[in-house]
Amino acid sequence: MADGAFGMSKELARETAPVWAKVKDHVTPMEWPAQAALISEINALKKTRDAVILAHNYMTPEIFHGVGDYVGDSLGLAKEAARSKAKVIVQAGVHFMAETSKILSPDKTVLIPDLKAGCSLAASITGADVRLIKQRYPGLPVVTYVNTTADVKAETDICCTSANAVQVVEWAAKEWGVDRVILIPDEFLAKNVAAQTNVGIIAWKGRCEVHERFTVADIAEMRAAYPDAEILAHPECPEDVIAASDFAGSTAAMIDHVTARKPKRVVMITECSMASNVAGDLPGVQFIGPCNLCPYMKRITLENIRDCLLHMQFEVTVPEDIAERARLAVQRMVDLPPPAVPARYDMIKARHHVAVELI
C-alpha cells in the first residue's frame, strides 16, 4: 500500500531510506518513488544473477549510492571485479572500463547497460596508431592511460592512471634505460606529468571532451563569487587550468583531499556527478559548480541497468589474443607498489615547465 514517504509503501521507504539520505539534494521528491522502486528491483536482480555492479565516480548519485557494489575510478573498479566472487559484472561506466574488467576477469560475464557508452579520449587513438608510433620511436617504452580500448592496451608496455602516471613514467624510463617515454593518449595529462618529472614525454593529441572545455575564466568567475572556496582540478584539464587551481589530482586524490580537509566550500573542476557523489558522504561541505556532464557516462541509467540484468544483455568480450597482450600491460601497472598517496599535479610544486613532443 502506498502509505510511506513520497507515496511509497512503508517497506520500500524503509529499504531505500539510507540511499535517500545521500541523494536527497540531487533527486527531487517527485522522481524518488520511481527511482527507489528501480533500486530495489536492481538489488534483488543482483542476487538472482550472482552479479555485482561497478559504479564509476561519474555515475549519477542514485546509481552510485543506490546500486553500486564497488565505487571508484576505472582501474579500482576493474581490480574489484577481479577480486569479486560474483559470476556477473555490470559496468556502470563506459565501454573501455568494461573491456578492462573483462581483461582482468576473463572467466566472468561482463555486461554494460548501453553499448553506446563510449569515450572521446579512448576514441582518439587506435592500436594501429600505436604501432606506427612505435615504428617512429623504436626502443622507447609506451605508457598508456587506462582510458583506452583493449586493442590500444595490447600494443602497450604498461598502463597508468592519473593517480600513478608520474610513478609509472619514471619506472618505465628506468626499466628501459631511456630518458624519454611515450605517454598516450591524453595530451593534457602528458603535459601535466611532464611538469612533475625529469623524464622527457612524447605525447598524443587526445583529449577528454569533458575536461578540455574548462577554462581559466571559469576559475576566475568562481574565485570572484566564492573567494573562500577551494578549487580542485583533474589532470585531464589544460595546464593553465591546473596552474590556476588550488589543488590538482586524480579523482582519488581529490576525494582524499576533500575528505581530509573538509573545507567549507569546494569547486571540483571535473565531471558533474563526482561532486554530487562526494557530497553524499560529506554533508558538511558545500560543492559549487562549474562542472561539465559526460554524455557517455550519462547513457547509463537505472532503467538500462535493470534491463541489462533482467535480460542479461550487452555482453562485452575481448578477443583472447588482444586480451592476453593487454593483460600484461595492465598487470605490470597493478604489480607496481601503489604510490604512497595518489599523484597531485599542483603547478606551484612543479619541478619545471617543459614542452612535450606532440606526435
Side-chain angles (χ1 to χ4, degrees):
M1 185 173 72
D3 55 4
F6 311 124
M8 297 189 293
S9 69
K10 289 182 179 179
E11 182 180 357
L12 181 59
R14 280 195 302 269
E15 178 188 342
T16 57
V19 182
W20 172 247
K22 292 190 174 185
V23 306
K24 62 184 179 181
D25 292 332
H26 308 284
V27 175
T28 68
M30 289 183 292
E31 298 172 286
W32 182 239
Q35 291 189 355
L38 281 165
I39 288 168
S40 178
E41 184 179 0
I42 290 166
N43 287 332
L45 277 168
K46 287 190 296 187
K47 295 177 182 178
T48 302
R49 300 297 193 192
D50 190 12
V52 293
I53 294 176
L54 312 182
H56 189 266
N57 288 323
Y58 296 164
M59 288 293 99
T60 51
E62 69 276 6
I63 294 173
F64 187 89
H65 293 293
V67 299
D69 296 292
Y70 303 111
V71 297
D73 64 16
S74 57
L75 183 70
L77 295 179
K79 290 164 73 173
E80 290 293 348
R83 284 192 285 262
S84 173
K85 295 181 180 179
K87 294 179 181 177
V88 177
I89 305 296
V90 177
Q91 191 80 46
V94 294
H95 196 271
F96 77 78
M97 298 177 186
E99 284 188 331
T100 307
S101 292
K102 184 64 177 180
I103 288 165
L104 291 179
S105 305
D107 296 330
K108 295 173 184 174
T109 298
V110 177
L111 307 175
I112 190 165
D114 189 326
L115 289 169
K116 293 181 180 179
C119 170
S120 61
L121 181 58
S124 74
I125 193 167
T126 66
D129 292 325
V130 183
R131 288 192 291 274
L132 289 173
I133 292 169
K134 291 194 290 188
Q135 289 177 20
R136 182 172 174 180
Y137 300 94
L140 294 187
V142 179
V143 177
T144 297
Y145 199 22
V146 292
N147 297 32
T148 47
T149 59
D151 72 316
V152 169
K153 290 183 175 74
E155 302 296 337
T156 295
D157 293 304
I158 184 170
C159 289
C160 74
T161 69
S162 55
N164 66 9
V166 175
Q167 175 198 20
V168 172
V169 160
E170 293 182 344
W171 175 87
K174 182 178 179 181
E175 192 75 8
W176 266 256
V178 295
D179 60 3
R180 292 192 303 167
V181 166
I182 299 161
L183 176 57
I184 53 177
D186 192 285
E187 174 186 350
F188 294 133
L189 176 67
K191 289 178 176 178
N192 291 324
V193 167
Q196 307 294 326
T197 180
N198 292 321
V199 177
I201 301 293
I202 298 167
W204 183 258
K205 294 183 180 180
R207 297 180 178 184
C208 165
E209 69 180 66
V210 170
H211 293 100
E212 72 172 335
R213 296 203 303 268
F214 290 111
T215 66
V216 172
D218 294 330
I219 294 180
E221 290 176 5
M222 289 294 101
R223 290 207 187 278
Y226 305 97
D228 62 338
E230 290 195 18
I231 298 178
L232 286 63
H234 192 278
E236 290 174 20
C237 293
E239 311 103 290
D240 57 353
V241 171
I242 299 297
S245 302
D246 298 310
F247 178 90
S250 65
T251 54
M254 285 194 278
I255 292 169
D256 289 350
H257 181 82
V258 176
T259 302
R261 289 179 55 82
K262 294 184 175 63
K264 182 179 179 182
R265 291 191 178 95
V266 170
V267 178
M268 280 192 171
I269 307 296
T270 187
E271 212 277 345
C272 283
S273 290
M274 179 162 162
S276 301
N277 293 330
V278 178
D281 292 321
L282 295 171
V285 179
Q286 181 185 6
F287 289 83
I288 305 162
C291 63
N292 292 322
L293 288 170
C294 173
Y296 307 105
M297 290 285 187
K298 268 40 192 183
R299 296 192 71 91
I300 308 301
T301 65
L302 286 173
E303 288 84 355
N304 59 27
I305 291 173
R306 185 268 316 275
D307 293 345
C308 173
L309 279 168
L310 189 63
H311 304 294
M312 293 295 289
Q313 63 188 13
F314 307 139
E315 182 175 358
V316 174
T317 60
V318 179
E320 183 50 38
D321 60 326
I322 291 176
E324 185 177 353
R325 290 183 291 133
R327 192 175 300 120
L328 175 62
V330 176
Q331 196 62 49
R332 274 179 172 158
M333 175 184 63
V334 171
D335 290 343
L336 284 181
V341 294
R344 55 185 296 175
Y345 293 82
D346 310 57
M347 290 299 103
I348 195 171
K349 295 188 176 183
R351 296 185 187 178
H352 49 235
H353 293 272
V354 61
V356 304
E357 180 180 346
L358 281 175
I359 303 168

